[in-house]
Amino acid sequence: MRTEWLLAASVGAAGVVCLGADEAQACGGTFCDSALPGQQSVDQTGETILFALDGDFVEAHVQIEYDGGDATQFAWIVPLPQVPEIEVGSWRLVQNVLDATVPVYGFQEGEVCRDAPPGGGGGGFLESPDGGAGGPPSVVAQDVVGAFEYVVLQGGTAASLMAWLEDNDYVGVPEAPEIFDEYITEGHVFVAFKLRHGAHVEDIHPVVIRYPGDEPCIPIRLTRVAAREDMDIRAIFLGDVRVMPINYKHVLLNRVRLDWVNRGANYGELVSMAMDEAGGRAFLTEYAGTSRSVATDNLATDHLDASVFGDLHPVQVVDTLTGWGLMQCFELSCSYAHELVPSLLHEFLPVPAGMEDHTFYGCLSCNAPIIDYDTWDGSAFSQAFRERIVDPLDHARELLEMWPYVTRLYTRISPHEMLSDPMFGETPNLPDVAHRHGAERNDDCCRVTMRLPGGREVLMPTRSTWPQLPAEMPWAERIEEFQPVGPPVTMVDNTALIDTLLAAHNAQEGCSEDDTDGWDDGGRGSRGDGADGDSDGHGTSGGSGGLDGGSGCGCRSLPAREHAPLLLLAVAAVARRRRS
């Protein structure tokens, strides 16, 4: 079986090139109640790679981001096991999948959602020639794709590879000879990208890297050269069945540790701590299920007729793009609805020196005398528009129609943990994983309970405070290992420990059967968040039998003048019981 790799090598002299995803607010799927209030998606910032899997090839869609600002300082190096095909990609595909699968946490007063219990391009390929053991690397392929120039190199040594890249203006190559040598020894080729002459940093766009193979992998060893602590990495897979890491562990989170009151605000900490318990090299599944929930409306191209540009006068180009909803210029700026529109305009209708985009593109008819007509080529623009915008959108839609299943894996990993490259494989007969999770908050006369998906109940100190749990409470519920064949192996199962510690917490936090504190709210007990109770959120009214003289928690409202003395008496009564 071949081992395949993909992309996490990111370098730059003035900053870090990374694979990124913007924060997204939209989400797909449903709760038991689709109108669940207060739902909140987790932060999606970080690095994302989308893989499309077939038995014969691996295709990866990567958005490159560069923080340096100087286009001449941009370089991006990717080790791969085979000579690839490189195409322009569509970030809309990746973003649509992210939006449809982002984990969302919320709670409601009522029925809890009953999810699973705990635990629960065309063309042929170039043949890779034998690389030389020493001397300079061999140039296997060299071409242009969108705003990038790229070269595929093989062989040589780390020193000769870095020297070749620097001599050919692939600047900012990291000083990581030992890592380069590892990949060279393993027979990898290196794909190096730089921006074409005249391209700007804002012209950076997604790329598709497609190569023979059946087992994707992220070359994270090279990433550690410029990685930060707890770096977010999401790997998304389109295929027929669920995908799992096969040389990294797989983690199920302990959802008792999640701050449900604040709708998962500590999700990042929870993931980091769970990964640490798994030894730092692990992933969790954020979603596994149908791809039909992924939006495709913004992938439509029926209205984009690239052929019109062949005979179009250049002053009409921006009006045409604006009519298609791809751009709009205002008094102080231009906005673009597709990431490749700016690079196309800069290449074929360059802005004159000293002018801003919005000044020039905002009124091409006004600026007709200063248009560079020698650079404008309607036929070439038409072809580039099709290759960079229409074809990638069509391909993105085809992938979603072709592959019925999406798996979304996530980890947070630090440089010292990036010692091996995570590999992934399709693993049939595994259950789906929901990405929307709803809990139920219930109040009775003396306590507030959050009932989690799966049935666990957590007693809370107040309605608005998640409890401080003991340090012994695990962050991971279960840690597993998956192999290419056979069932998963459970390395750690903390279920019993979690239940024991939770029971102890609830016993300490709860009230006794004699407590009848509460307020009358139409038969359903409610509870304050500190303003109407003592310091730990327990109610402070009533004695044995309740304020209304009955049993249980049926309580009545009192006139305002009666509240203070009765509350003091209730506090005294509770204090006596606790001392006894």
Side-chain angles (χ1 to χ4, degrees), residues 17 45 62 162 175 230-231 235 342 351 371 379 388 406 442 471 484 532:
V17 182
T45 56
V62 185
M162 291 187 289
E175 291 296 328
D230 282 337
M231 188 174 78
V351 179
I371 290 176
S379 297
R388 302 183 198 180
V406 176
N442 289 301
D532 298 316

Side-chain angles (χ1 to χ4, degrees), residues 57-363:
F57 68 87
V58 173
E59 178 176 302
H61 297 241
V62 185
Q63 171 68 25
I64 307 167
E65 292 189 353
Y66 179 56
D67 299 330
D70 183 354
T72 64
Q73 299 299 302
F74 171 87
W76 185 44
I77 316 299
V78 184
L80 293 169
Q82 302 267 351
V83 177
E85 292 176 337
I86 310 293
E87 301 172 357
V88 175
S90 172
W91 187 238
R92 289 188 184 186
L93 169 63
V94 181
Q95 193 61 59
N96 286 2
V97 178
L98 283 172
D99 290 351
T101 61
V102 57
V104 181
Y105 293 91
F107 66 89
Q108 59 186 358
E109 314 288 348
E111 283 291 322
V112 67
C113 288
R114 310 291 181 182
D115 67 353
F125 293 94
L126 296 174
E127 293 295 329
S128 300
D130 295 331
S138 302
V139 177
V140 179
Q142 196 165 7
D143 208 340
V144 172
V145 58
F148 299 110
E149 297 179 21
Y150 72 90
V151 63
V152 182
L153 303 173
Q154 185 173 43
T157 63
S160 65
L161 175 69
M162 291 187 289
W164 190 99
L165 291 169
E166 187 169 349
D167 290 344
N168 287 273
D169 297 324
Y170 289 85
V171 297
V173 177
E175 291 296 328
E178 70 286 353
I179 302 175
F180 279 118
D181 274 331
E182 288 178 13
Y183 285 114
I184 291 171
T185 300
E186 294 164 5
H188 287 70
V189 300
F190 294 88
V191 185
F193 294 86
K194 67 178 179 181
L195 284 168
R196 299 172 59 182
H197 178 70
H200 307 282
V201 169
E202 57 267 28
D203 298 329
I204 291 175
H205 58 76
V207 295
V208 177
I209 301 179
R210 189 173 186 269
Y211 52 93
D214 59 2
E215 196 173 89
C217 183
I218 303 173
I220 206 169
R221 286 174 288 172
L222 193 53
T223 301
R224 74 174 183 258
V225 176
R228 63 184 182 276
E229 294 294 315
D230 282 337
M231 188 174 78
D232 302 89
I233 297 178
R234 286 181 174 86
I236 298 175
F237 303 85
L238 295 175
D240 286 316
V241 298
R242 190 169 162 186
V243 171
M244 299 295 285
I246 58 175
N247 68 331
Y248 272 42
K249 294 181 175 65
H250 181 257
V251 169
L252 283 83
L253 299 177
N254 174 14
R255 293 188 288 190
V256 172
R257 279 284 194 181
L258 188 76
D259 184 348
W260 289 86
V261 174
N262 292 297
R263 301 171 180 88
N266 68 332
Y267 181 76
E269 178 191 18
L270 171 57
V271 173
S272 292
M273 299 299 290
M275 295 302 146
D276 287 345
E277 289 181 354
R281 290 184 288 278
F283 283 82
L284 66 93
T285 301
E286 291 189 315
Y287 174 79
T290 179
S291 64
R292 300 298 176 246
S293 60
V294 179
T296 58
D297 291 350
N298 63 351
L299 303 177
T301 60
D302 295 344
H303 62 298
L304 305 179
D305 182 5
S307 65
V308 302
F309 295 108
D311 299 321
L312 200 66
H313 193 280
V315 299
Q316 299 174 291
V317 170
V318 168
D319 289 341
T320 301
L321 295 173
T322 301
W324 290 344
L326 294 177
M327 68 175 295
Q328 188 172 4
C329 287
F330 305 93
E331 183 178 353
L332 298 177
S333 65
C334 290
S335 64
Y336 302 94
H338 192 284
E339 63 274 7
L340 290 185
V341 170
S343 63
L344 277 172
L345 292 175
H346 293 154
E347 180 178 347
F348 292 96
L349 279 174
V351 179
M355 293 187 72
E356 299 291 337
D357 279 23
H358 64 275
T359 304
F360 183 63
Y361 297 133
C363 187

Side-chain angles (χ1 to χ4, degrees), residues 443-460:
D443 299 5
D444 63 21
C445 292
C446 64
R447 64 183 183 181
V448 178
T449 301
M450 189 74 79
R451 189 171 185 224
L452 308 186
R456 285 191 175 120
E457 294 186 350
V458 181
L459 266 63
M460 298 161 53

Side-chain angles (χ1 to χ4, degrees), residues 386-464:
R386 183 180 297 107
E387 291 175 351
R388 302 183 198 180
I389 294 180
V390 176
D391 290 348
L393 290 174
D394 286 342
H395 183 54
R397 192 172 62 254
E398 290 168 358
L399 287 175
L400 291 174
E401 292 172 352
M402 179 184 304
W403 302 118
Y405 207 86
V406 176
T407 305
R408 170 173 168 149
L409 301 177
Y410 173 51
T411 191
R412 303 189 88 194
I413 189 168
S414 298
H416 69 277
E417 296 164 338
M418 299 176 179
L419 302 178
S420 61
D421 299 322
M423 298 181 293
F424 308 90
E426 290 190 307
T427 308
N429 303 319
L430 292 178
D432 293 350
V433 176
H435 69 106
R436 297 173 70 85
H437 312 277
E440 173 192 350
R441 184 173 64 186
N442 289 301
D443 299 5
D444 63 21
C445 292
C446 64
R447 64 183 183 181
V448 178
T449 301
M450 189 74 79
R451 189 171 185 224
L452 308 186
R456 285 191 175 120
E457 294 186 350
V458 181
L459 266 63
M460 298 161 53
T462 74
R463 298 186 81 252
S464 58

